[in-house]
Amino acid sequence: MVNKKLLNKLESDSKKIRQIIIDTGHASGESAHIGGALSMVEIVNFLYSEYLNHMPLNPEWEERDIFILSKGHTCLGFFSTLHYYGYFDKEKLETFQTNGTDLIAHPIKKISLGIESSNGSLGQGLSFGMGMAIGFLKKELHRKVVVVLGDGECNEGSIWETAASAAELEVNNLLVIVDENGHRNDGPNLTYQKNSSLIKIWKSFGWNVIEVKDGNSYLDIMDAFNNLSKYKGKLPTVLVCKTVKGKGISFMEDNNDWHHNRITKSIYEEATEELIK
C-alpha cells in the first residue's frame, strides 16, 4: 500500500530542492551542470530522506552510511540536498563557485559539510566507495556505501574494473545507483543504446540488478528499494534508473544544452514560474 503522506512529502521536497538548484545556479552567475543535477533529485532526496543513516548535526558520526556522488559535476544537486537536510546554511550554499569556497564545481571532500569524497574526473567514485565498503566489512561494521553514477560515466573503464572486483569480492554493503538520463557532455549516450543495455552489462558482471523504469517517480523508486531486501547479504546491487535530464523544468527536459549552462535572469524567472505552479 502506498504511503500517500510520505509520497506527497517527497514530491514537495523535490520541488523545493529543484528551486534551490535554480536559485543557487542563478546567484553564482556562472555556468553549472544543471541538467544532470535536476535528473537525480528524486534519487538523492529519497536516499537522504528514507535510506541513509546520517546525522546532519553530527556529520562525522561514526556509524553513518556513506554517500558518494561519483558523477561529481552535478554537485549542485548534491549541495542543494545537503543544504535542504541541514548540513550547512544558506549563506554557505550561496558561496557556490565563488573564490575561496568549499563548494566548487565538483565535490571536494569535507566531512563536516557532509561531503565524503572528492570527485572530478569521472569513474573514480565507485572504486573509492568499494574500498570504503570493504573496510566496513573487514571491521564488521554495519554501514552502507551508496554511489551514484551517470550513464555517460559508465563509459569509463575504471567503472567496470571496479564492478568486476566488487562482484568477485562479494561487497554486499555496496549499492550503486545509475542515473541513466540518456545524455553525456557531447550528446546522446549511444554506447548502450546501440550495443547492449546497462542492465545486461551489470548483470554480466555478476551484480544484482534492479531496473527502475522511471527514476523520477517515487512510486518506482520506493518499489525498487523495497526489493532490496531480496538481495540482503548477497553480492553488490545496482539500481539502473531511467531519468529525464533537466527534469522538472520543461524547457530544460531532455535538452542537452543544459548539460552545462548559465541561468540568466530571464531563464531564472521562467524556471521559477514553472516550479511554483
Side-chain angles (χ1 to χ4, degrees):
M1 182 179 292
V2 176
N3 184 332
K4 291 186 178 180
K5 185 176 180 180
L6 174 60
L7 182 61
N8 290 338
K9 179 184 180 300
L10 289 169
E11 290 175 347
S12 175
D13 291 342
S14 288
K15 186 168 284 193
K16 292 172 184 175
I17 291 169
R18 285 193 166 90
Q19 185 65 64
I20 294 169
I21 291 170
I22 297 303
D23 289 347
T24 307
H26 174 247
S28 76
E30 303 290 337
S31 292
H33 291 89
I34 305 295
L38 293 169
S39 68
M40 70 178 190
V41 167
E42 282 76 16
I43 294 167
V44 180
N45 180 49
F46 185 85
L47 289 171
Y48 277 88
S49 174
E50 303 301 314
Y51 186 70
L52 295 171
N53 292 317
H54 67 112
M55 296 178 67
L57 298 181
N58 183 15
E60 298 186 44
W61 178 43
E62 292 186 355
E63 297 178 31
R64 72 189 184 279
D65 293 331
I66 302 297
F67 174 78
I68 295 172
L69 180 66
S70 190
K71 57 166 207 160
H73 57 288
T74 64
C75 62
L76 180 53
F78 177 36
F79 296 159
S80 296
T81 305
L82 287 175
H83 163 66
Y84 189 72
Y85 281 92
Y87 279 89
F88 46 80
D89 59 21
K90 185 178 180 182
E91 184 178 7
K92 169 63 76 173
L93 183 62
E94 288 175 344
T95 68
F96 176 66
Q97 293 197 149
T98 61
N99 288 337
T101 185
D102 292 309
L103 307 177
I104 64 171
H106 292 79
I108 300 297
K109 182 177 179 178
K110 193 160 188 176
I111 297 175
S112 62
L113 298 178
I115 305 170
E116 298 282 356
S117 69
S118 300
N119 289 297
S121 183
L122 292 172
Q124 296 179 340
L126 182 54
S127 55
F128 185 88
M130 181 183 72
M132 296 188 78
I134 290 172
F136 295 153
L137 289 175
K138 287 184 177 293
K139 293 180 179 180
E140 298 183 349
L141 299 174
H142 299 289
R143 297 172 66 183
K144 305 184 293 290
V145 178
V146 181
V147 180
V148 169
L149 305 175
D151 55 333
E153 182 180 15
C154 290
N155 293 326
E156 298 283 351
S158 56
I159 295 295
W160 304 114
E161 292 174 0
T162 309
S165 297
E168 180 180 353
L169 296 172
E170 298 185 356
V171 188
N172 56 34
N173 58 341
L174 175 63
L175 174 66
V176 167
I177 303 176
V178 182
D179 176 14
E180 189 179 12
N181 63 36
H183 293 275
R184 59 193 182 203
N185 180 44
D186 59 353
N189 188 22
L190 299 177
T191 304
Y192 305 108
Q193 295 173 22
K194 279 188 173 181
N195 300 313
S196 185
S197 72
L198 277 171
I199 290 170
K200 290 181 180 178
I201 294 171
W202 281 100
K203 284 183 178 179
S204 74
F205 274 83
W207 283 55
N208 304 312
V209 181
I210 298 175
E211 179 182 9
V212 183
K213 292 184 178 180
D214 184 350
N216 298 120
S217 162
Y218 281 114
L219 290 175
D220 285 12
I221 291 171
M222 287 189 283
D223 185 57
F225 275 85
N226 287 336
N227 285 329
L228 282 180
S229 60
K230 296 179 182 178
Y231 304 111
K232 189 174 182 179
K234 299 177 183 178
L235 300 175
T237 298
V238 58
L239 309 184
V240 179
C241 302
K242 284 279 190 181
T243 62
V244 176
K245 196 161 189 174
K247 178 67 177 179
I249 301 173
S250 62
F251 59 88
M252 294 184 182
E253 288 188 355
D254 208 30
N255 179 356
N256 214 44
D257 289 346
W258 286 99
H259 177 83
H260 186 255
N261 210 333
R262 186 170 70 90
I263 299 175
T264 62
K265 181 180 179 181
S266 60
I267 291 293
Y268 173 75
E269 290 172 349
E270 187 176 354
T272 298
E273 185 177 350
E274 284 199 22
L275 289 170
I276 63 176
K277 287 180 180 178

